[in-house]
Amino acid sequence: MMKRSLTCALVLALTALPAGAANLVKTYSYFAIGGRTLDDIETQLSKHGPQVKSTGSRHPGATQMAFTTRVSYAESPGSCRVADAIVTVRVKVILPEWRSSRKADADVKLFWNTLSADIKRHEERHVEIAKNHARQLEDALKASYPQKTCAEVKARAVQITAAELARHDQDQVRFDRVESVNFESRILRLLRYRLERIETGQLPPA
């Protein structure tokens, strides 16, 4: 589940900015959990997982993100247009780190390896969604029509940004909803796949 902390800052300047695609700045943070059984792990994740401000509930992983949009303008007599736009997405992926693996049974280790890999995949997909919308925001800003004044162009840039971030939020929520519905069947499928690979020697035992 994504812990959304979305901000959008428009830095409005008339100086030229270097051209480029949307930028991604990604960092990782880990929180420790203990426990030797599946019930222990579930309790630890519920107790120590990152908290979503909108719901107050805790989740096994999270992605915090912030969008920053830099727009430059080109002005001529009676006209102004967007000269360039660069969107940067800063994300922090928060993941669990299990500290009791050496004391746990093999079946618990197998489940944890499967679950933790799925948590990471889930959060990385949140990052991909954000990066895609950042790229779409850049394209939309660069394609916006010239206006008579730069004030009008800046106002339009704010509207474009707000609309794209709203679509981004909707896509993130939709992704979480689908993932939640399919969670149990997905984990069971992944467990079977790991077991098959262990039995055929393609993976070491947990």
Side-chain angles (χ1 to χ4, degrees), residues 164-181:
E164 187 60 46
L165 289 184
R167 286 189 288 270
H168 164 268
D169 286 359
Q170 292 168 1
D171 281 351
Q172 297 283 20
V173 171
R174 187 180 302 112
F175 171 67
D176 272 336
R177 187 182 301 119
V178 172
E179 289 275 292
S180 178
V181 169

PDB file of all heavy atoms in Angstrom, residues 164-181:
ATOM      1  N   GLU A 164      -2.930  16.147 -14.057  1.00  0.00           N
ATOM      2  CA  GLU A 164      -2.099  14.952 -14.226  1.00  0.00           C
ATOM      3  C   GLU A 164      -1.840  14.272 -12.886  1.00  0.00           C
ATOM      4  O   GLU A 164      -1.863  13.032 -12.791  1.00  0.00           O
ATOM      5  CB  GLU A 164      -0.774  15.313 -14.886  1.00  0.00           C
ATOM      6  CG  GLU A 164       0.079  14.116 -15.264  1.00  0.00           C
ATOM      7  CD  GLU A 164      -0.632  13.193 -16.243  1.00  0.00           C
ATOM      8  OE1 GLU A 164      -1.208  13.688 -17.231  1.00  0.00           O
ATOM      9  OE2 GLU A 164      -0.616  11.960 -16.017  1.00  0.00           O
ATOM     10  N   LEU A 165      -1.637  15.045 -11.842  1.00  0.00           N
ATOM     11  CA  LEU A 165      -1.418  14.449 -10.522  1.00  0.00           C
ATOM     12  C   LEU A 165      -2.684  13.779 -10.004  1.00  0.00           C
ATOM     13  O   LEU A 165      -2.609  12.771  -9.288  1.00  0.00           O
ATOM     14  CB  LEU A 165      -0.928  15.505  -9.537  1.00  0.00           C
ATOM     15  CG  LEU A 165       0.501  16.004  -9.752  1.00  0.00           C
ATOM     16  CD1 LEU A 165       0.899  16.976  -8.650  1.00  0.00           C
ATOM     17  CD2 LEU A 165       1.491  14.862  -9.842  1.00  0.00           C
ATOM     18  N   ALA A 166      -3.835  14.320 -10.359  1.00  0.00           N
ATOM     19  CA  ALA A 166      -5.095  13.672  -9.977  1.00  0.00           C
ATOM     20  C   ALA A 166      -5.223  12.314 -10.666  1.00  0.00           C
ATOM     21  O   ALA A 166      -5.652  11.322 -10.049  1.00  0.00           O
ATOM     22  CB  ALA A 166      -6.278  14.564 -10.326  1.00  0.00           C
ATOM     23  N   ARG A 167      -4.844  12.244 -11.946  1.00  0.00           N
ATOM     24  CA  ARG A 167      -4.868  10.964 -12.663  1.00  0.00           C
ATOM     25  C   ARG A 167      -3.859   9.992 -12.046  1.00  0.00           C
ATOM     26  O   ARG A 167      -4.118   8.783 -11.953  1.00  0.00           O
ATOM     27  CB  ARG A 167      -4.585  11.180 -14.151  1.00  0.00           C
ATOM     28  CG  ARG A 167      -5.752  11.792 -14.921  1.00  0.00           C
ATOM     29  CD  ARG A 167      -5.511  11.773 -16.417  1.00  0.00           C
ATOM     30  NE  ARG A 167      -4.501  12.741 -16.807  1.00  0.00           N
ATOM     31  CZ  ARG A 167      -4.768  14.011 -17.143  1.00  0.00           C
ATOM     32  NH1 ARG A 167      -6.027  14.445 -17.115  1.00  0.00           N
ATOM     33  NH2 ARG A 167      -3.805  14.842 -17.494  1.00  0.00           N
ATOM     34  N   HIS A 168      -2.716  10.518 -11.651  1.00  0.00           N
ATOM     35  CA  HIS A 168      -1.705   9.692 -10.986  1.00  0.00           C
ATOM     36  C   HIS A 168      -2.269   9.074  -9.713  1.00  0.00           C
ATOM     37  O   HIS A 168      -2.134   7.863  -9.485  1.00  0.00           O
ATOM     38  CB  HIS A 168      -0.485  10.552 -10.655  1.00  0.00           C
ATOM     39  CG  HIS A 168       0.435   9.925  -9.660  1.00  0.00           C
ATOM     40  ND1 HIS A 168       0.331  10.150  -8.300  1.00  0.00           N
ATOM     41  CD2 HIS A 168       1.463   9.059  -9.814  1.00  0.00           C
ATOM     42  CE1 HIS A 168       1.253   9.456  -7.673  1.00  0.00           C
ATOM     43  NE2 HIS A 168       1.968   8.787  -8.555  1.00  0.00           N
ATOM     44  N   ASP A 169      -2.912   9.884  -8.892  1.00  0.00           N
ATOM     45  CA  ASP A 169      -3.489   9.375  -7.640  1.00  0.00           C
ATOM     46  C   ASP A 169      -4.518   8.286  -7.920  1.00  0.00           C
ATOM     47  O   ASP A 169      -4.557   7.257  -7.230  1.00  0.00           O
ATOM     48  CB  ASP A 169      -4.144  10.511  -6.868  1.00  0.00           C
ATOM     49  CG  ASP A 169      -3.119  11.435  -6.214  1.00  0.00           C
ATOM     50  OD1 ASP A 169      -1.907  11.176  -6.359  1.00  0.00           O
ATOM     51  OD2 ASP A 169      -3.541  12.415  -5.566  1.00  0.00           O
ATOM     52  N   GLN A 170      -5.348   8.501  -8.929  1.00  0.00           N
ATOM     53  CA  GLN A 170      -6.380   7.520  -9.272  1.00  0.00           C
ATOM     54  C   GLN A 170      -5.756   6.202  -9.703  1.00  0.00           C
ATOM     55  O   GLN A 170      -6.219   5.120  -9.318  1.00  0.00           O
ATOM     56  CB  GLN A 170      -7.277   8.074 -10.377  1.00  0.00           C
ATOM     57  CG  GLN A 170      -8.152   9.246  -9.938  1.00  0.00           C
ATOM     58  CD  GLN A 170      -8.809   9.955 -11.106  1.00  0.00           C
ATOM     59  OE1 GLN A 170      -8.629   9.569 -12.273  1.00  0.00           O
ATOM     60  NE2 GLN A 170      -9.572  10.996 -10.813  1.00  0.00           N
ATOM     61  N   ASP A 171      -4.688   6.271 -10.496  1.00  0.00           N
ATOM     62  CA  ASP A 171      -4.018   5.048 -10.953  1.00  0.00           C
ATOM     63  C   ASP A 171      -3.365   4.306  -9.786  1.00  0.00           C
ATOM     64  O   ASP A 171      -3.375   3.063  -9.740  1.00  0.00           O
ATOM     65  CB  ASP A 171      -2.968   5.381 -12.012  1.00  0.00           C
ATOM     66  CG  ASP A 171      -3.583   5.623 -13.373  1.00  0.00           C
ATOM     67  OD1 ASP A 171      -4.797   5.372 -13.537  1.00  0.00           O
ATOM     68  OD2 ASP A 171      -2.856   6.070 -14.289  1.00  0.00           O
ATOM     69  N   GLN A 172      -2.798   5.048  -8.852  1.00  0.00           N
ATOM     70  CA  GLN A 172      -2.181   4.395  -7.692  1.00  0.00           C
ATOM     71  C   GLN A 172      -3.229   3.686  -6.834  1.00  0.00           C
ATOM     72  O   GLN A 172      -3.027   2.545  -6.399  1.00  0.00           O
ATOM     73  CB  GLN A 172      -1.425   5.439  -6.841  1.00  0.00           C
ATOM     74  CG  GLN A 172      -0.262   6.118  -7.545  1.00  0.00           C
ATOM     75  CD  GLN A 172       0.976   5.247  -7.627  1.00  0.00           C
ATOM     76  OE1 GLN A 172       0.916   4.028  -7.498  1.00  0.00           O
ATOM     77  NE2 GLN A 172       2.125   5.871  -7.848  1.00  0.00           N
ATOM     78  N   VAL A 173      -4.354   4.349  -6.606  1.00  0.00           N
ATOM     79  CA  VAL A 173      -5.428   3.741  -5.811  1.00  0.00           C
ATOM     80  C   VAL A 173      -5.992   2.518  -6.521  1.00  0.00           C
ATOM     81  O   VAL A 173      -6.258   1.479  -5.908  1.00  0.00           O
ATOM     82  CB  VAL A 173      -6.540   4.771  -5.536  1.00  0.00           C
ATOM     83  CG1 VAL A 173      -7.760   4.103  -4.909  1.00  0.00           C
ATOM     84  CG2 VAL A 173      -6.031   5.875  -4.618  1.00  0.00           C
ATOM     85  N   ARG A 174      -6.171   2.623  -7.834  1.00  0.00           N
ATOM     86  CA  ARG A 174      -6.695   1.502  -8.615  1.00  0.00           C
ATOM     87  C   ARG A 174      -5.741   0.304  -8.536  1.00  0.00           C
ATOM     88  O   ARG A 174      -6.183  -0.845  -8.385  1.00  0.00           O
ATOM     89  CB  ARG A 174      -6.893   1.942 -10.065  1.00  0.00           C
ATOM     90  CG  ARG A 174      -7.601   0.915 -10.941  1.00  0.00           C
ATOM     91  CD  ARG A 174      -7.765   1.433 -12.351  1.00  0.00           C
ATOM     92  NE  ARG A 174      -8.514   2.682 -12.381  1.00  0.00           N
ATOM     93  CZ  ARG A 174      -8.015   3.863 -12.715  1.00  0.00           C
ATOM     94  NH1 ARG A 174      -6.736   3.965 -13.078  1.00  0.00           N
ATOM     95  NH2 ARG A 174      -8.769   4.940 -12.715  1.00  0.00           N
ATOM     96  N   PHE A 175      -4.459   0.561  -8.637  1.00  0.00           N
ATOM     97  CA  PHE A 175      -3.463  -0.509  -8.541  1.00  0.00           C
ATOM     98  C   PHE A 175      -3.538  -1.194  -7.185  1.00  0.00           C
ATOM     99  O   PHE A 175      -3.540  -2.430  -7.086  1.00  0.00           O
ATOM    100  CB  PHE A 175      -2.065   0.058  -8.781  1.00  0.00           C
ATOM    101  CG  PHE A 175      -0.958  -0.910  -8.484  1.00  0.00           C
ATOM    102  CD1 PHE A 175      -0.785  -2.053  -9.254  1.00  0.00           C
ATOM    103  CD2 PHE A 175      -0.094  -0.679  -7.424  1.00  0.00           C
ATOM    104  CE1 PHE A 175       0.236  -2.950  -8.979  1.00  0.00           C
ATOM    105  CE2 PHE A 175       0.928  -1.574  -7.141  1.00  0.00           C
ATOM    106  CZ  PHE A 175       1.099  -2.702  -7.918  1.00  0.00           C
ATOM    107  N   ASP A 176      -3.618  -0.413  -6.119  1.00  0.00           N
ATOM    108  CA  ASP A 176      -3.718  -0.990  -4.776  1.00  0.00           C
ATOM    109  C   ASP A 176      -4.972  -1.845  -4.625  1.00  0.00           C
ATOM    110  O   ASP A 176      -4.946  -2.910  -3.998  1.00  0.00           O
ATOM    111  CB  ASP A 176      -3.740   0.126  -3.725  1.00  0.00           C
ATOM    112  CG  ASP A 176      -2.349   0.526  -3.277  1.00  0.00           C
ATOM    113  OD1 ASP A 176      -1.431  -0.300  -3.403  1.00  0.00           O
ATOM    114  OD2 ASP A 176      -2.177   1.663  -2.801  1.00  0.00           O
ATOM    115  N   ARG A 177      -6.066  -1.377  -5.201  1.00  0.00           N
ATOM    116  CA  ARG A 177      -7.333  -2.103  -5.079  1.00  0.00           C
ATOM    117  C   ARG A 177      -7.229  -3.473  -5.754  1.00  0.00           C
ATOM    118  O   ARG A 177      -7.632  -4.488  -5.184  1.00  0.00           O
ATOM    119  CB  ARG A 177      -8.465  -1.294  -5.696  1.00  0.00           C
ATOM    120  CG  ARG A 177      -9.855  -1.880  -5.461  1.00  0.00           C
ATOM    121  CD  ARG A 177     -10.920  -1.043  -6.134  1.00  0.00           C
ATOM    122  NE  ARG A 177     -10.916   0.328  -5.636  1.00  0.00           N
ATOM    123  CZ  ARG A 177     -10.701   1.395  -6.387  1.00  0.00           C
ATOM    124  NH1 ARG A 177     -10.465   1.259  -7.683  1.00  0.00           N
ATOM    125  NH2 ARG A 177     -10.716   2.591  -5.857  1.00  0.00           N
ATOM    126  N   VAL A 178      -6.670  -3.513  -6.942  1.00  0.00           N
ATOM    127  CA  VAL A 178      -6.528  -4.773  -7.677  1.00  0.00           C
ATOM    128  C   VAL A 178      -5.569  -5.714  -6.939  1.00  0.00           C
ATOM    129  O   VAL A 178      -5.829  -6.914  -6.803  1.00  0.00           O
ATOM    130  CB  VAL A 178      -6.029  -4.509  -9.105  1.00  0.00           C
ATOM    131  CG1 VAL A 178      -5.685  -5.818  -9.811  1.00  0.00           C
ATOM    132  CG2 VAL A 178      -7.079  -3.749  -9.906  1.00  0.00           C
ATOM    133  N   GLU A 179      -4.464  -5.168  -6.442  1.00  0.00           N
ATOM    134  CA  GLU A 179      -3.495  -5.984  -5.718  1.00  0.00           C
ATOM    135  C   GLU A 179      -4.100  -6.589  -4.456  1.00  0.00           C
ATOM    136  O   GLU A 179      -3.818  -7.735  -4.104  1.00  0.00           O
ATOM    137  CB  GLU A 179      -2.283  -5.122  -5.358  1.00  0.00           C
ATOM    138  CG  GLU A 179      -1.424  -4.745  -6.539  1.00  0.00           C
ATOM    139  CD  GLU A 179      -0.405  -5.801  -6.873  1.00  0.00           C
ATOM    140  OE1 GLU A 179       0.528  -6.021  -6.077  1.00  0.00           O
ATOM    141  OE2 GLU A 179      -0.536  -6.439  -7.934  1.00  0.00           O
ATOM    142  N   SER A 180      -4.918  -5.810  -3.769  1.00  0.00           N
ATOM    143  CA  SER A 180      -5.538  -6.299  -2.537  1.00  0.00           C
ATOM    144  C   SER A 180      -6.490  -7.459  -2.812  1.00  0.00           C
ATOM    145  O   SER A 180      -6.494  -8.467  -2.099  1.00  0.00           O
ATOM    146  CB  SER A 180      -6.289  -5.158  -1.845  1.00  0.00           C
ATOM    147  OG  SER A 180      -6.938  -5.605  -0.681  1.00  0.00           O
ATOM    148  N   VAL A 181      -7.288  -7.332  -3.870  1.00  0.00           N
ATOM    149  CA  VAL A 181      -8.253  -8.381  -4.210  1.00  0.00           C
ATOM    150  C   VAL A 181      -7.543  -9.683  -4.564  1.00  0.00           C
ATOM    151  O   VAL A 181      -7.998 -10.773  -4.204  1.00  0.00           O
ATOM    152  CB  VAL A 181      -9.144  -7.911  -5.382  1.00  0.00           C
ATOM    153  CG1 VAL A 181      -9.971  -9.071  -5.924  1.00  0.00           C
ATOM    154  CG2 VAL A 181     -10.056  -6.768  -4.938  1.00  0.00           C
TER     155      VAL A 181
END
